[in-house]
Amino acid sequence: MPSSILKFLATTLAYSTAWAGPVGVSGRQAADYSMGFIGCSMGENVAQGYVAVGGKRMWGPYGTGALVVQSWTNSNSAAWQKFDQQAAQYGKPTSVWVQICIFANPGATYTEVKQLIANARTHAAPNATIYITGQPLYDAGQSCFLAGQGGAELTDSLAKQAGEDTTQSAVYPGSFILHTAEVQDGCHANTAGQQSLGKQAMAFWG
C-alpha cells in the first residue's frame, strides 16, 4: 500500500477518535443533534471544527476517516452501519449533509452521487433535508494529493450538479474553502482550518 495512503489512514484514525460525543443524551440534547452527515476524514474535519465553534445541530465526528464515495454506495455497507449507530443514539436525522469525498482513483461519477443521496434518504427520517457539498477547495495552485489534481474541484462540480438537479431535491449551500495556512498535510485541515470549516458549516446550516 502506498505510503501516502498509510499516512492518510493513520491521520484519519487520529481524527476519528478525537471527539467521542455526548454520553447519555437526553431527549432535549438529542434534538440538538438532529443532523447527520456522511463523508470521509474531510467531513470529520468539518465536524470537529463545527463542535469546536459551538455547533449543536449536526453530529460530531464518528469515525468516517477514509470513507470515500464508494463506501456509501451500498446502503448496507459498514459505513452506513456506523451512520445507523449514530441514528440509534440521536434519533433518525431530519437533515443529512452528504459530502462527496474521493480518492484520485476511482474518483466518483454522478450516478454514484445520486445513489448516496438516495441512501441518505433511506437512513434518515421521512422527508429529511439533504445538503450536498464537495471536499474543501484550496487556494490557487494547491490540491489534495489523495483526491488528485482537480479532484476537489470535481467533487464540488458534482455537488453543484446535484443541487441543480430538480429530481434530487438536494440543497447545495456552497463550497467549503481551506486556505494554505489552514492545511496541515496537503489535504487535511489543521486546528485553525478545522475552526474555519466549522464556521463555514454554521453559516451553511446553523
Side-chain angles (χ1 to χ4, degrees), residues 41-131:
S41 57
M42 311 300 286
E44 297 267 287
N45 278 178
V46 174
Q48 284 178 307
Y50 182 79
V51 171
V53 299
K56 297 286 188 182
R57 180 183 178 190
M58 190 178 75
W59 299 341
Y62 66 100
T64 60
L67 298 183
V68 293
V69 163
Q70 291 74 27
S71 299
W72 302 99
T73 50
N74 182 336
S75 188
N76 298 313
S77 68
W80 281 112
Q81 290 173 25
K82 284 177 174 284
F83 182 97
D84 289 343
Q85 289 171 1
Q86 294 294 105
Q89 181 176 3
Y90 300 121
K92 284 193 173 186
T94 56
S95 55
V96 178
W97 167 41
V98 173
Q99 182 199 54
I100 303 170
C101 184
I102 64 170
F103 288 135
N105 184 13
T109 66
Y110 187 55
T111 297
E112 289 174 321
V113 170
K114 290 190 291 184
Q115 189 62 57
L116 264 59
I117 294 170
N119 291 349
R121 295 194 189 284
T122 299
H123 289 262
N127 302 312
T129 300
I130 305 296
Y131 296 91

Side-chain angles (χ1 to χ4, degrees), residues 14-51:
Y15 287 153
S16 299
T17 57
W19 190 87
V23 177
V25 179
S26 71
R28 186 176 183 283
Q29 288 175 310
D32 286 338
Y33 298 94
S34 61
M35 181 176 181
F37 75 91
I38 68 171
C40 64
S41 57
M42 311 300 286
E44 297 267 287
N45 278 178
V46 174
Q48 284 178 307
Y50 182 79
V51 171

Side-chain angles (χ1 to χ4, degrees), residues 100 102-104 135-137 143-144 146-158:
I100 303 170
I102 64 170
F103 288 135
Q135 296 178 213
L137 301 179
S143 64
C144 172
L146 292 164
Q149 188 68 37
E153 289 80 5
L154 171 63
T155 66
D156 187 56
S157 176
L158 288 168

Side-chain angles (χ1 to χ4, degrees), residues 3 104 154 205-206:
S3 61
L154 171 63
W205 49 68

